[in-house]
Amino acid sequence: MFNLTPKEDKFYDYFIDVAKIAYKASNMLVEFLKDLDNSEENLKKLKDIEHEGDKKQHEILEQLNKTFITPFDREDIYVIAKDMDDVIDLIESAASRFVMLNVSNCTKEAEMLSEMIVKCCEELITLMEEFKNMKTSKELPKKIIEINRLEEDGDKVSRKAIMDLFRSDIEVIEVIKWREIYQYLEDTLDACEDLANVVEGVVMKNA
Amino acid sequence: MFNLTPKEDKFYDYFIDVAKIAYKASNMLVEFLKDLDNSEENLKKLKDIEHEGDKKQHEILEQLNKTFITPFDREDIYVIAKDMDDVIDLIESAASRFVMLNVSNCTKEAEMLSEMIVKCCEELITLMEEFKNMKTSKELPKKIIEINRLEEDGDKVSRKAIMDLFRSDIEVIEVIKWREIYQYLEDTLDACEDLANVVEGVVMKNA
Amino acid sequence: MFNLTPKEDKFYDYFIDVAKIAYKASNMLVEFLKDLDNSEENLKKLKDIEHEGDKKQHEILEQLNKTFITPFDREDIYVIAKDMDDVIDLIESAASRFVMLNVSNCTKEAEMLSEMIVKCCEELITLMEEFKNMKTSKELPKKIIEINRLEEDGDKVSRKAIMDLFRSDIEVIEVIKWREIYQYLEDTLDACEDLANVVEGVVMKNA
């Protein structure tokens, strides 16, 4: 096999690159939560990763506009690029809540959710690596199921955390803060699932 | 007339089926609000209906990927299936707030909104039944107008309820809870309207 | 040059018209914030402008369904019309929060954000005027950059305002109200940016 990458295959490489950036961001989120004393500096590092993702997304869109024949529906490439960007943005948004809302401690549930986000992003890398072989890959459907399962588990964790919040006797202002933080963490997992489902749709169409 | 359903007409039947599931969910929401003492068990029933809807949506998407000629734009079928799913999900989400946020009583306005959701879902069934005859149906435009009217009325009810909330002297934690519940009920009506407007767009395109 | 407007060019004129309505709405928002003693009457004026926008959007969609050859992708025209409508709706929603949440004073940051919204809407008019000459316009890319810059600045202002909110010792109920108001103002700027980015995408595709 020659090391020859047809132009249209570049998209799969781009997607792998962005998935790796998302994975890096998710790991930075876990670090962030472990070191809330330095949240402002750590948030800057996370913002840098977000900008890396923005740059890559712009490259995908530019490539898309230069390419006549795409490996699958043009619109789906656009949606995947957009959804990947959403995942990274939401990771940054979740972390930034701690700074914005003046939260200097972390809960066990927020840690659990951030670790689920890491796992989801790890699965996204394999998903994107297998995407090119969508017609034969046996790993691809497993990854989609796994991401859906992680989202469902995350939903249970965040719903339970919110239930406890509204049954505790902590101050109202703390309830408000944590309600918002759990929402962002849950939204991040939702965005991973949305992405996996778009990929599933592309696989179904091209089966 | 023979009992012969061309493949492409199956979509209309699927849409009617999902509208009926949404209607069932909306009725269960009304029941749920009348029996908040057993909210956890009742929520499970609502989740079962939601899963029924998920299954049907998956069937639509599978059918879509197997069908070469669709009765109208492929993309619009996808959006309608997605929007129907959103309506059912939001009904479940609205109910689940009562469990999550530890709310054991219901307000007159929440009851009114849930009854408006039932009416909207009832109209959605007729909308979907008439959809097949979009070129000649006189009922179809009426149903679209009716759903838009219901959403507008619902908006007034929820805005008024929120206004009263922020002018009352109830505890702040209660304000937070009800603010969120009204939002979900309003979002459900919005989702019904979005769906009706997508159908309207399809009708206009195919007039 | 004859005063001859081919049918397909009408879309650009419609977009200019809606951008002007958005600009009118944004100016009304600034007025609204300066005269909160009469918020209910002023909100009605803003609702009238919103309805003007709705009517225009409906005209665009009707035109779209009657036109065989569109100046660019049919789907993109739809998205632009939808995003313009979102901008206007969010301006009204931001103002209506003051009435709903019983807020009778304004903060410096809310004023700043509303003035940024005015500037964004002003840029949107030029953006739409230049849109027709997308292949040669030098102004068009500048406007897109400018709107992105305004959104970024607005994001800093609202994040800072929310940070201050959660570090002040004002009453919790006030924190809730302002958290929601800043969200709506930020969402309005986001919607302007989304619109500019869709236009950028169309320009790239047709370069």
Side-chain angles (χ1 to χ4, degrees):
Chain A
M1 188 80 167
F2 298 95
N3 188 357
L4 183 143
T5 310
K7 240 185 193 164
E8 58 266 30
D9 276 10
K10 271 195 180 161
F11 291 107
Y12 296 110
D13 295 335
Y14 275 126
F15 292 154
I16 297 167
D17 289 349
V18 192
K20 284 179 179 165
I21 295 171
Y23 180 62
K24 189 159 72 170
S26 67
N27 277 302
M28 188 63 225
L29 174 65
V30 170
E31 300 276 298
F32 178 93
L33 296 180
K34 283 183 183 149
D35 182 27
L36 285 170
D37 286 346
N38 300 301
S39 56
E40 295 205 34
E41 297 98 279
N42 291 332
L43 190 58
K44 274 179 203 149
K45 291 182 203 164
L46 204 40
K47 271 183 212 277
D48 288 342
I49 302 175
E50 193 192 356
H51 287 144
E52 232 183 285
D54 287 343
K55 256 174 94 174
K56 197 54 86 176
Q57 197 213 11
H58 217 259
E59 278 174 46
I60 297 176
L61 298 184
E62 278 192 335
Q63 186 64 46
L64 190 58
N65 289 311
K66 286 192 298 189
T67 308
F68 289 103
I69 300 164
T70 51
F72 51 86
D73 269 6
R74 188 170 288 274
E75 184 60 23
D76 288 325
I77 294 177
Y78 178 81
V79 173
I80 292 170
K82 178 90 181 58
D83 282 2
M84 298 260 253
D85 194 54
D86 284 350
V87 170
I88 301 170
D89 282 2
L90 279 163
I91 291 172
E92 191 276 335
S93 292
S96 72
R97 294 310 106 173
F98 286 82
V99 177
M100 271 170 72
L101 309 182
N102 197 23
V103 176
S104 52
N105 66 313
C106 189
T107 62
K108 214 185 64 190
E109 290 92 342
E111 271 173 34
M112 280 168 73
L113 288 165
S114 70
E115 275 152 26
M116 283 167 163
I117 292 168
V118 171
K119 273 195 193 148
C120 259
C121 290
E122 207 181 335
E123 301 291 357
L124 283 178
I125 297 176
T126 323
L127 189 78
M128 291 308 168
E129 284 170 348
E130 292 289 311
F131 200 6
K132 201 189 279 195
N133 312 313
M134 61 173 99
K135 280 178 211 283
T136 54
S137 172
K138 277 169 190 159
E139 279 302 300
L140 196 56
K142 283 185 202 160
K143 296 297 151 188
I144 292 165
I145 291 168
E146 182 60 16
I147 292 167
N148 272 275
R149 201 192 54 77
L150 280 163
E151 190 280 330
E152 219 169 293
D153 284 359
D155 201 51
K156 274 176 206 150
V157 171
S158 70
R159 281 198 181 200
K160 177 71 172 59
I162 296 164
M163 276 183 75
D164 291 348
L165 207 56
F166 279 88
R167 280 158 180 84
S168 73
D169 52 7
I170 62 167
E171 282 180 51
V172 180
I173 191 80
E174 296 301 313
V175 175
I176 296 172
K177 290 173 181 185
W178 283 100
R179 173 75 192 89
E180 185 164 333
I181 288 170
Y182 290 132
Q183 189 65 56
Y184 274 87
L185 292 168
E186 198 190 312
D187 287 350
T188 309
L189 287 169
D190 279 349
C192 292
E193 193 195 19
D194 284 347
L195 180 50
N197 291 343
V198 173
V199 170
E200 187 185 26
V202 173
V203 175
M204 284 203 294
K205 271 194 246 179
N206 294 277
Chain B
M1 189 82 168
F2 297 96
N3 190 358
L4 183 143
T5 310
K7 239 183 192 169
E8 57 267 29
D9 276 11
K10 273 196 180 160
F11 291 108
Y12 296 109
D13 294 336
Y14 275 127
F15 291 155
I16 297 167
D17 289 348
V18 191
K20 283 178 180 166
I21 296 171
Y23 180 62
K24 189 158 71 170
S26 67
N27 276 302
M28 188 63 224
L29 174 65
V30 170
E31 301 276 299
F32 178 93
L33 296 181
K34 282 184 184 150
D35 182 27
L36 285 171
D37 287 346
N38 300 302
S39 55
E40 295 206 33
E41 296 98 278
N42 291 332
L43 190 58
K44 274 178 203 149
K45 292 183 203 164
L46 205 40
K47 270 185 212 279
D48 288 341
I49 301 175
E50 194 191 355
H51 288 145
E52 232 183 286
D54 286 343
K55 257 174 94 174
K56 197 54 88 175
Q57 198 213 9
H58 218 259
E59 278 174 46
I60 297 176
L61 298 184
E62 279 192 334
Q63 185 64 46
L64 191 58
N65 289 311
K66 287 191 297 188
T67 308
F68 289 103
I69 300 164
T70 51
F72 50 84
D73 270 7
R74 188 170 288 275
E75 185 60 23
D76 288 325
I77 293 176
Y78 178 80
V79 173
I80 291 171
K82 178 93 181 57
D83 283 2
M84 296 259 253
D85 194 54
D86 284 350
V87 170
I88 300 171
D89 282 2
L90 279 164
I91 290 172
E92 190 276 335
S93 293
S96 72
R97 294 310 108 176
F98 285 82
V99 177
M100 272 170 72
L101 310 181
N102 197 23
V103 176
S104 52
N105 66 313
C106 189
T107 63
K108 213 186 65 191
E109 289 91 342
E111 272 172 35
M112 280 169 74
L113 289 165
S114 69
E115 274 152 27
M116 282 166 165
I117 292 169
V118 171
K119 273 194 193 150
C120 260
C121 291
E122 205 182 336
E123 300 290 357
L124 284 178
I125 298 176
T126 323
L127 189 77
M128 291 308 169
E129 285 170 347
E130 292 289 310
F131 200 6
K132 200 188 280 195
N133 312 312
M134 63 173 100
K135 280 178 210 285
T136 54
S137 171
K138 276 167 190 160
E139 280 301 301
L140 196 57
K142 282 185 202 160
K143 296 297 151 186
I144 292 164
I145 292 168
E146 181 59 15
I147 293 166
N148 273 275
R149 201 191 55 74
L150 280 163
E151 190 281 330
E152 220 169 291
D153 283 0
D155 201 50
K156 274 177 206 150
V157 172
S158 70
R159 282 199 179 198
K160 178 70 172 59
I162 296 164
M163 276 183 74
D164 291 348
L165 208 55
F166 279 88
R167 280 158 181 84
S168 72
D169 52 8
I170 61 167
E171 282 180 53
V172 180
I173 192 80
E174 296 301 314
V175 174
I176 296 172
K177 291 173 180 185
W178 282 100
R179 175 73 192 91
E180 186 165 330
I181 288 170
Y182 290 133
Q183 191 64 56
Y184 275 87
L185 292 168
E186 198 190 312
D187 287 351
T188 309
L189 286 169
D190 279 348
C192 293
E193 193 195 19
D194 285 347
L195 178 51
N197 291 342
V198 173
V199 170
E200 187 185 25
V202 173
V203 175
M204 283 204 292
K205 272 195 245 176
N206 295 278
Chain C
M1 190 76 168
F2 298 94
N3 190 357
L4 183 142
T5 311
K7 240 185 192 168
E8 58 266 31
D9 276 12
K10 272 196 180 159
F11 291 107
Y12 297 110
D13 294 335
Y14 275 126
F15 291 155
I16 298 167
D17 288 349
V18 191
K20 283 179 180 165
I21 295 171
Y23 180 62
K24 190 158 73 171
S26 68
N27 276 303
M28 188 63 224
L29 173 65
V30 170
E31 300 277 299
F32 178 92
L33 297 180
K34 283 183 182 149
D35 182 26
L36 286 170
D37 287 345
N38 301 300
S39 55
E40 295 205 32
E41 296 97 279
N42 290 332
L43 190 57
K44 274 180 202 149
K45 290 183 203 164
L46 205 40
K47 271 184 211 277
D48 288 342
I49 301 175
E50 195 192 355
H51 288 146
E52 232 183 287
D54 287 342
K55 255 173 93 175
K56 197 53 89 175
Q57 199 213 10
H58 218 258
E59 278 175 46
I60 297 176
L61 298 184
E62 280 193 332
Q63 186 64 45
L64 191 57
N65 289 311
K66 286 191 299 189
T67 308
F68 289 103
I69 301 162
T70 52
F72 51 85
D73 270 5
R74 188 170 289 273
E75 184 61 22
D76 288 325
I77 294 177
Y78 178 80
V79 173
I80 292 171
K82 177 92 180 59
D83 283 3
M84 296 260 254
D85 194 53
D86 284 350
V87 170
I88 301 171
D89 282 2
L90 279 164
I91 291 172
E92 191 275 336
S93 292
S96 72
R97 295 308 109 174
F98 286 82
V99 176
M100 272 170 72
L101 309 181
N102 197 23
V103 177
S104 52
N105 66 312
C106 189
T107 63
K108 215 187 64 192
E109 290 92 341
E111 271 172 36
M112 280 169 75
L113 288 164
S114 69
E115 274 152 26
M116 283 166 163
I117 293 168
V118 171
K119 273 194 192 148
C120 259
C121 291
E122 205 181 336
E123 300 291 357
L124 284 179
I125 297 176
T126 323
L127 189 78
M128 292 307 168
E129 285 169 348
E130 292 289 311
F131 200 7
K132 199 188 281 196
N133 312 312
M134 62 173 99
K135 280 178 211 283
T136 55
S137 172
K138 278 169 188 156
E139 279 303 300
L140 196 56
K142 283 186 203 161
K143 296 298 150 186
I144 292 165
I145 292 168
E146 181 60 14
I147 292 166
N148 273 275
R149 201 191 55 73
L150 280 163
E151 191 280 331
E152 219 169 293
D153 284 359
D155 201 50
K156 275 177 205 149
V157 171
S158 69
R159 283 199 181 199
K160 177 72 173 56
I162 295 164
M163 277 184 74
D164 292 348
L165 207 56
F166 279 88
R167 281 158 180 83
S168 73
D169 51 7
I170 61 167
E171 282 179 52
V172 180
I173 191 81
E174 295 301 312
V175 174
I176 296 172
K177 291 173 181 185
W178 282 100
R179 174 72 192 92
E180 185 165 332
I181 287 170
Y182 290 132
Q183 191 65 56
Y184 274 88
L185 292 168
E186 199 190 312
D187 287 350
T188 309
L189 287 169
D190 279 349
C192 292
E193 193 195 20
D194 285 346
L195 178 52
N197 291 343
V198 173
V199 170
E200 188 185 25
V202 173
V203 174
M204 284 203 294
K205 272 194 245 177
N206 294 278

